[in-house]
Amino acid sequence: MIQRASLDELMTLVDPGKVLTDAASLEAYGKDWTKHYPPAPSAIVLPRTVEQVQAIVRWANAHKVALVPSGGRTGLSAGAVAAKGEVVVAFDYMNQILGFDAFDRTVVCQPGVITRQLQAYAEEQGLYYPVDFASSGSSQVGGNIGTNAGGIKVIRYGMTRNWVAGLKVVTGTGELLELNKGLVKNATGYDLRHLFIGAEGTLGFVVEATMRLDRAPRNLTAMVLGTPDFDSIMPVLHAFHGKLDLTAFEFFSDKGLARILARGDVPAPFHTPCSFYALLEFEASTEQVADEALATFEHCVAQGWVLDGVMSQSETQLKNLWKLREYLSETISHWTPYKNDISVTVSKVPAFLRDIDAVVQAHYPDYEVVWYGHIGDGNLHLNILKPEHMSKDAFFASCARVNKWVFEIVERYNGSISAEHGVGMTKRDYLGYSRSPEEIACMKAIKAVFDPNGIMNPGKIFAPE
Ligand SMILES: Cc1cc2nc3c(=O)[nH]c(=O)nc-3n(C[C@H](O)[C@H](O)[C@H](O)COP(=O)(O)OP(=O)(O)OC[C@H]3O[C@@H](n4cnc5c(N)ncnc54)[C@H](O)[C@@H]3O)c2cc1C
């Protein structure tokens, strides 16, 4: 724990009242959405300026205090968790949009800007910020950059990385670096901006981001299609991909749909029972596009790949169809799911899912497994639900044994143990299934350059030595 005198010094570095040590704040800011690790930070500090962030980092180096960057704390890998007496640095007071350039189509954001705030701002300018997912009402731009967040539109727009035109970062030594300055073209050596994207706060703090915007999509239209089995989803993806510019291609299982419908506030897409469902979205910018979508649907039915389907005819129907997918994560959180966020190249998905499903069913026949995910990107979310009668600790201990088997399969398929949620603490012991010892050594060497004293989010990505 930190000495009282050190904390008193920290208080002089930020605005009055912006160092919190009360129990409720320590509890709230010390954890993220994972809730596996009991929060135990020493203090929470809320800077208002870049200079204050630099002063906090210099103070932490002088006192050998670990810092945990904290965004909206919607992370699913315990990347923002402070469980060992760290000081949490939260960006609630650095949440302004600082500038917009219509010609460059860029927005300058402080790190605490909420993702939905950026989306709404883009809409006000007649433009579009395409990174989107169920937690965008709470997650922050700084956290999205820290995790290189993906979400539901990656098939068309890519990950957060694609939208970062420039970054200001404060490194683990307190230096301020201005990276790429919003340029489209910049062939002047290593692009350090990309090292900070997805670094999970282990190299330094994102203190400002210049984000790109795109043109607004026209007449977004969704279809939900029911398939007899998982294997049928892939030819459906292939058929639609060949005909339309898809903006999303998601999937969920019948078990996932059942959990959503049990809520009582989301209408069923149709009543034909199906094993799996695909949700796809495209811009129906002309009548021909909508006709093409219907013709492709009929082709899929004729081939036996699709049993039933529906296409949105209004904004309300579009929203209702999306709720079937977007409410899943939050709905099943009631059963404290054991989550995995794995990926392979799209062509390998059917065999990969079959192998993993077989392992999980063989070892845990009594647990309910809910599959869903961003299948158009080869990203599957495996969720094992906790039986009501079982304690959280016993359930997680028993599921931890699955990891090894699942990750051995991931390794065999040259996949990733974390497609978009990050490594944090939950996946750090398994990094070797996706990265070679040589790669991990390079990553550690890079960390040592930006954070020689190891004060930036220690214990995240890499297991403590
Ligand atoms: C219901 C639900 C659905 C989700 N769906 C998706 C999805 O589809 N796709 C997806 O990618 N994720 C998804 N997530 C996960 C999560 O929302 C994302 O990882 C998001 O990017 C986290 O942002 P945050 O602001 O909450 O970050 P936090 O959880 O606060 O932090 C995440 C990481 O970023 C670091 N960090 C935070 N701020 C900074 C900063 N200013 N500088 C440097 N590092 C920083 C933290 O230390 C931590 O390592 C979902 C989560 C929930 C709860």
Side-chain angles (χ1 to χ4, degrees):
M1 278 291 156
I2 300 173
Q3 304 282 320
R4 183 72 243 173
S6 307
L7 267 187
D8 288 344
E9 190 186 326
L10 178 64
M11 285 178 197
T12 65
L13 306 177
V14 290
D15 294 359
K18 296 297 182 268
V19 176
L20 312 176
T21 52
D22 61 288
S25 300
L26 297 180
E27 166 83 22
Y29 283 91
K31 63 183 177 211
D32 68 1
W33 191 270
T34 51
K35 303 180 183 76
H36 299 343
Y37 305 91
S42 293
I44 317 302
V45 58
L46 300 150
R48 198 180 37 78
T49 65
V50 173
E51 293 72 26
Q52 290 182 357
V53 177
Q54 289 180 280
I56 293 165
V57 173
R58 290 190 190 114
W59 167 88
N61 274 294
H63 295 273
K64 304 262 177 295
V65 172
L67 301 177
V68 176
S70 176
R73 295 180 300 285
T74 66
L76 297 172
S77 68
V81 167
K84 288 199 164 167
E86 305 94 327
V87 167
V88 173
V89 182
F91 290 94
D92 303 16
Y93 295 93
M94 290 177 74
N95 61 354
Q96 300 300 308
I97 287 180
L98 302 176
F100 167 65
D101 191 302
F103 207 77
D104 291 332
R105 282 196 187 163
T106 51
V107 186
V108 180
C109 299
Q110 289 190 308
V113 166
I114 302 289
T115 316
R116 188 157 296 154
Q117 190 188 337
L118 173 56
Q119 292 166 345
Y121 183 85
E123 235 176 278
E124 283 165 26
Q125 315 308 319
L127 293 169
Y128 187 55
Y129 181 65
V131 179
D132 195 17
F133 34 80
S135 54
S136 60
S138 312
S139 76
Q140 299 181 0
V141 169
N144 296 163
I145 293 169
T147 55
N148 186 25
I152 55 180
K153 307 280 173 141
V154 171
I155 193 170
R156 163 79 165 270
Y157 298 100
M159 312 279 285
T160 298
R161 183 183 301 283
N162 292 14
W163 301 92
V164 179
L167 281 184
K168 284 189 188 168
V169 299
V170 170
T171 69
T173 57
E175 263 172 283
L176 176 65
L177 303 181
E178 206 173 331
L179 306 175
N180 198 55
K181 301 175 184 163
L183 295 169
V184 175
K185 291 183 137 184
N186 181 10
T188 53
Y190 307 140
D191 192 338
L192 303 181
R193 163 186 50 156
H194 286 295
L195 285 178
F196 282 80
I197 302 170
E200 303 184 34
T202 59
L203 303 180
F205 292 96
V206 172
V207 290
E208 194 181 287
T210 302
M211 306 302 288
R212 290 189 210 290
L213 302 180
D214 201 18
R215 73 159 175 81
R218 296 180 200 106
N219 193 23
L220 283 176
T221 300
M223 278 180 149
V224 169
L225 309 175
T227 67
D229 46 39
F230 185 79
D231 283 359
S232 300
I233 292 185
M234 301 316 281
V236 173
L237 169 63
H238 195 61
F240 277 92
H241 225 353
K243 297 285 178 192
L244 303 174
D245 264 343
L246 294 174
T247 50
F249 195 96
E250 302 279 305
F251 91 111
F252 45 91
S253 65
D254 52 351
K255 293 204 173 76
L257 180 69
R259 294 290 182 185
I260 289 285
L261 297 183
R263 296 165 54 110
D265 60 349
V266 184
F270 42 79
H271 294 291
T272 310
C274 302
S275 300
F276 286 93
Y277 298 82
L279 189 161
L280 58 97
E281 189 193 62
F282 55 95
E283 287 180 78
S285 43
T286 62
E287 247 173 60
Q288 285 98 305
V289 177
D291 290 349
E292 191 80 77
L294 283 174
T296 310
F297 165 69
E298 278 160 18
H299 170 70
C300 292
V301 172
Q303 295 295 319
W305 301 329
V306 166
L307 300 176
D308 206 344
V310 61
M311 182 160 102
S312 65
Q313 304 294 332
S314 66
E315 186 70 23
T316 309
Q317 276 181 341
L318 174 75
K319 283 193 177 138
N320 279 337
L321 291 182
W322 265 115
K323 283 177 188 168
L324 295 166
R325 168 67 186 87
E326 282 289 79
Y327 283 7
L328 265 167
S329 194
E330 200 193 323
T331 304
I332 63 166
S333 69
H334 171 77
W335 290 275
T336 326
Y338 185 76
K339 291 170 108 55
N340 264 302
D341 163 43
I342 45 191
S343 70
V344 285
T345 53
V346 177
S347 58
K348 292 180 186 154
V349 164
F352 177 65
L353 184 136
R354 214 175 302 121
D355 283 3
I356 290 184
D357 211 36
V359 161
V360 175
Q361 296 300 342
H363 293 280
Y364 300 99
D366 301 334
Y367 290 171
E368 182 173 332
V369 175
V370 176
W371 284 102
Y372 59 84
H374 316 290
I375 193 141
D377 320 323
N379 179 187
L380 307 173
H381 295 315
L382 162 67
N383 294 270
I384 304 175
L385 307 195
K386 183 179 84 58
E388 295 279 2
H389 62 269
M390 209 170 177
S391 80
K392 201 165 104 179
D393 287 347
F395 175 65
F396 279 111
S398 115
C399 285
R401 291 199 297 274
V402 188
N403 268 340
K404 189 174 169 313
W405 302 316
V406 167
F407 294 151
E408 277 169 5
I409 298 172
V410 170
E411 188 176 34
R412 188 150 45 82
Y413 279 84
N414 276 328
S416 173
I417 59 156
S418 178
E420 59 178 9
H421 294 164
V423 179
M425 291 204 276
T426 59
K427 301 290 182 304
R428 66 186 181 191
D429 294 337
Y430 308 99
L431 190 60
Y433 286 98
S434 281
R435 299 299 196 110
S436 68
E438 294 77 12
E439 272 183 288
I440 294 172
C442 288
M443 283 159 67
K444 287 183 175 170
I446 289 168
K447 177 164 169 68
V449 169
F450 290 104
D451 178 30
N453 292 326
I455 59 150
M456 288 305 307
N457 220 0
K460 313 296 162 51
I461 302 183
F462 312 110
E465 281 164 4

